[in-house]
Amino acid sequence: MEPAAKQKVIYITYLVAALDITWLFLQFSITPYLARRLGFDTIWFGYLQTTVGVIQLLGGPIYGRFADVFGARAALSVSCLASVVYFLLLAVADNTFMLFVHKLPAVFMHVLPGAQMVVADLSENEKRADALGKLGLCFGIGMIAGSSLGGTLSTRFGEKFAASFAAVGSFVSLLLVLNFIPKQTKIHTVPESNKKGSSNSVFNLGEITRLMKFPGVAKTFTVKIISGLPAGIFQVMFSIIAINFFQLKAEQNGYLMAYFGIVQMVIQGAVIGRLTSRFSESSLLMLSVGISSLVGLAQAMMTNVFHFCLIVIPMMFSLSVFNVITDSMLTKSVSPSDTGTMLGLCASVQSLLRTVGPTIGGFLYEAYGVPSFGYIQCIINAAVFSFLLNTGGRSQPNRP
């Protein structure tokens, strides 16, 4: 592809990602309040979140492999179509059973990893972290638009209308993918292992787990899971914290999420690119883990929503830098034809956190309260920071 054509595809991918995140955060303004109206307590809402985590944990690596084998257009089309079905089911969910059933299409809902694969495939190695960071800018835009729109639509027109609106929006995303995303975005359309005679099956788990054997991958992947666990638990439980601890209504919660989005937009759009051009990825990884430890300590001491708004700035900085840098390091560690599978595994980390997070988070919230999330984050990230400091960040070179 010509450079201009690559850039056009990347911009369309950014648009599709921003739209998908918009509908995702619109849903966040519906589900907690719908669940409470249907009689869910904190524990049952945790089960609902765990269901989503398990579903996406199973689907993430397979989706990444599917994207590597069948191409970007097919992968993103499946995700957008699944989103349409997901929101249509949410619109008709009027009992506990249907609220669980509507989560099933989430097994295919991986637009962001699909978009990351396209951007990673079409960007140069030295600019990859910055390009992936711009996807975080799209995330911020979607967070602002979705949170504000979700709170407004559900308050004024009802939850069913808001969910139907998201279904229509997901269909628009599907049309964009079908018309503007090329079938293949990779330099090598056949993974290296397949050239050696390995199975081309999407469900070949050996081809997925094979990536863990590349230099530096296992270490970075382990850090991504352990360091990300406390923040993942807090994020999963935040809707409950907003309602019960901060006593926020749906519209107020939407404004708070929009504030998150603004902070993330500034960090992803204006800060990360400058940092990656001046500092090594291993240094930035250590910085993000260290700040995350301090953020945990601050969360343990907060008592109201104003305190939390102050904490959001370093919290979003550490999360943004950590996710972008680890994704960039991992995709550089494998061959270009395997970036989809690797990003699928990265997505499965978030799904893993959503799987164990609600159960752990529900227990901690009921037994020890909100400060327990902060103390755990502080201790775990301090330990990870010490580990990175002692091992020198990253000792293995990138894969050529």
Side-chain angles (χ1 to χ4, degrees), residues 10 14 42 83 89-90 175 202 215 252 268 277 307 317 323 333 344 353 355 365 371 380-381:
I10 289 176
Y14 286 157
T42 303
S83 296
L89 289 174
L90 178 60
L175 294 179
V202 170
Q252 294 171 324
Q268 301 268 24
S277 65
H307 292 163
F317 175 83
N323 288 329
S333 298
L353 300 182
T355 300
Y365 182 82
I380 289 179
N381 279 279

Side-chain angles (χ1 to χ4, degrees), residues 32-162:
Y33 299 92
L34 177 60
R36 188 169 65 172
R37 184 163 57 80
L38 294 175
F40 280 49
D41 59 12
T42 303
I43 301 299
W44 270 97
F45 186 75
Y47 292 154
L48 183 66
Q49 296 290 80
T50 299
T51 300
V52 180
V54 171
I55 289 171
Q56 292 204 311
L57 177 63
L58 296 174
I62 295 174
Y63 176 85
R65 177 73 178 157
F66 178 89
D68 281 336
V69 173
F70 294 101
R73 184 192 297 163
L76 287 172
S77 297
V78 168
S79 289
C80 292
L81 185 59
S83 296
V84 173
V85 177
Y86 178 92
F87 288 114
L88 288 176
L89 289 174
L90 178 60
V92 299
D94 57 359
N95 56 61
T96 300
F97 176 74
M98 283 303 299
L99 198 58
F100 276 93
V101 167
H102 104 272
K103 300 293 187 182
L104 294 179
V107 70
F108 302 113
M109 291 171 60
H110 299 279
V111 169
L112 192 57
Q116 289 175 321
M117 185 196 76
V118 173
V119 171
D121 288 343
L122 299 181
S123 59
E124 299 174 6
N125 262 9
E126 60 271 16
K127 297 181 180 179
R128 183 171 298 174
D130 185 33
L132 290 172
K134 294 297 189 295
L135 270 175
L137 176 63
C138 300
F139 193 98
I141 294 172
M143 186 185 294
I144 294 171
S147 301
S148 304
L149 194 60
T152 302
L153 290 178
S154 59
T155 300
R156 298 185 180 181
F157 302 103
E159 293 148 352
K160 293 183 182 297
F161 179 85

Side-chain angles (χ1 to χ4, degrees), residues 308-369:
F308 182 65
C309 287
L310 296 178
I311 296 170
V312 162
I313 296 174
M315 181 183 78
M316 296 304 292
F317 175 83
S318 62
L319 284 174
S320 299
V321 173
F322 180 78
N323 288 329
V324 168
I325 294 302
T326 51
D327 286 352
S328 177
M329 291 172 72
L330 288 168
T331 55
K332 289 178 181 178
S333 298
V334 300
S335 68
S337 57
D338 286 319
T339 53
T341 305
M342 177 51 71
L343 287 166
L345 287 170
C346 291
S348 72
V349 172
Q350 300 301 319
S351 300
L352 176 64
L353 300 182
R354 285 196 295 272
T355 300
V356 301
T359 302
I360 299 174
F363 169 75
L364 291 174
Y365 182 82
E366 294 290 344
Y368 303 105

Side-chain angles (χ1 to χ4, degrees), residues 235-256:
Q235 289 174 341
V236 166
M237 295 300 297
F238 181 74
S239 56
I240 298 297
I241 294 172
I243 296 172
N244 296 338
F245 187 74
F246 294 138
Q247 300 291 314
L248 299 182
K249 297 179 180 178
E251 199 163 0
Q252 294 171 324
N253 188 37
Y255 293 144
L256 181 60

